[in-house]
Amino acid sequence: FLKRRKLLKKYKKNKKSTIKNLSKILKNKDLSDVDFASNIQNAMRNYLEVRFDFPFTKTVSSEIKEKYLFAVESASEQKVCAIECIQKIFCQTDIIRYGQKSFGINKTSFLENEKETLVDQLIQSIETLEVVEVFEIEKDKKEKNIKEGVNNA
């Protein structure tokens, strides 16, 4: 139970610092589109790595959902949709980052207001991933009951 509370505190701090970092990146008008794309990916990969204790910083964009499903025991449909949104944004930003070099695509910049939209979607995805599901609460109750049973024996 106490371990879970520590984890929740860590996750809350991670969420808060990631959202702050994404907002800071968005406000930095001196960043090139490539740097913007790289910075939001790094911020999100670090968030995912801390949140799910899995090396998302070393995961290719197209495998984010697959690795997420591997890292968690079970996930609601909303959380899977949030991860799919993050994966889609990673793939979009990869096109900006690597554009012509890797994909032969001429899109090397964001459209008007696209950066704001991407950051809003990422923040919404974080909010969705942070919702505590009923099955997580039940799991905590079972663990607490088991520990109390051991302590009472």
Side-chain angles (χ1 to χ4, degrees), residues 18-104:
T18 302
I19 291 172
K20 184 177 179 180
N21 193 11
L22 288 171
S23 298
K24 187 175 163 184
I25 293 166
L26 180 60
K27 289 176 186 171
N28 187 347
K29 301 300 179 191
D30 294 331
L31 284 177
S32 69
D33 285 348
V34 171
D35 289 338
F36 174 84
S38 180
N39 288 351
I40 65 168
Q41 263 205 39
N42 288 338
M44 285 303 297
R45 287 175 183 279
N46 287 327
Y47 162 78
L48 292 169
E49 194 158 303
V50 169
R51 180 63 178 85
F52 300 107
D53 194 27
F54 191 86
F56 285 101
T57 54
K58 296 172 177 64
T59 303
V60 296
S61 297
S62 61
E63 295 180 352
I64 293 292
K65 178 183 171 186
E66 176 187 338
K67 300 302 182 183
Y68 165 77
L69 292 172
F70 178 78
V72 298
E73 288 181 23
S74 60
S76 68
E77 186 176 329
Q78 291 86 359
K79 289 187 180 190
V80 173
C81 287
I83 285 295
E84 288 172 343
C85 178
I86 293 168
Q87 180 172 306
K88 184 183 108 200
I89 290 170
F90 282 9
C91 292
Q92 284 177 264
T93 54
D94 280 349
I95 291 171
I96 299 293
R97 293 169 68 199
Y98 307 116
Q100 287 182 303
K101 294 179 209 168
S102 299
F103 303 112

Side-chain angles (χ1 to χ4, degrees), residues 85-144:
C85 178
I86 293 168
Q87 180 172 306
K88 184 183 108 200
I89 290 170
F90 282 9
C91 292
Q92 284 177 264
T93 54
D94 280 349
I95 291 171
I96 299 293
R97 293 169 68 199
Y98 307 116
Q100 287 182 303
K101 294 179 209 168
S102 299
F103 303 112
I105 297 173
N106 290 329
K107 184 181 179 192
T108 56
S109 62
F110 290 103
L111 301 173
E112 186 176 341
N113 299 323
E114 189 176 10
K115 290 179 182 179
E116 291 83 358
T117 302
L118 294 177
V119 169
D120 287 345
Q121 289 174 343
L122 289 172
I123 290 171
Q124 184 58 49
S125 295
I126 291 170
E127 296 289 351
T128 300
L129 291 172
E130 292 299 320
V131 171
V132 178
E133 303 291 339
V134 174
F135 67 85
E136 293 172 308
I137 293 169
E138 292 300 319
K139 181 181 172 189
D140 285 348
K141 286 181 183 177
K142 285 179 185 174
E143 288 176 4
K144 184 178 178 184

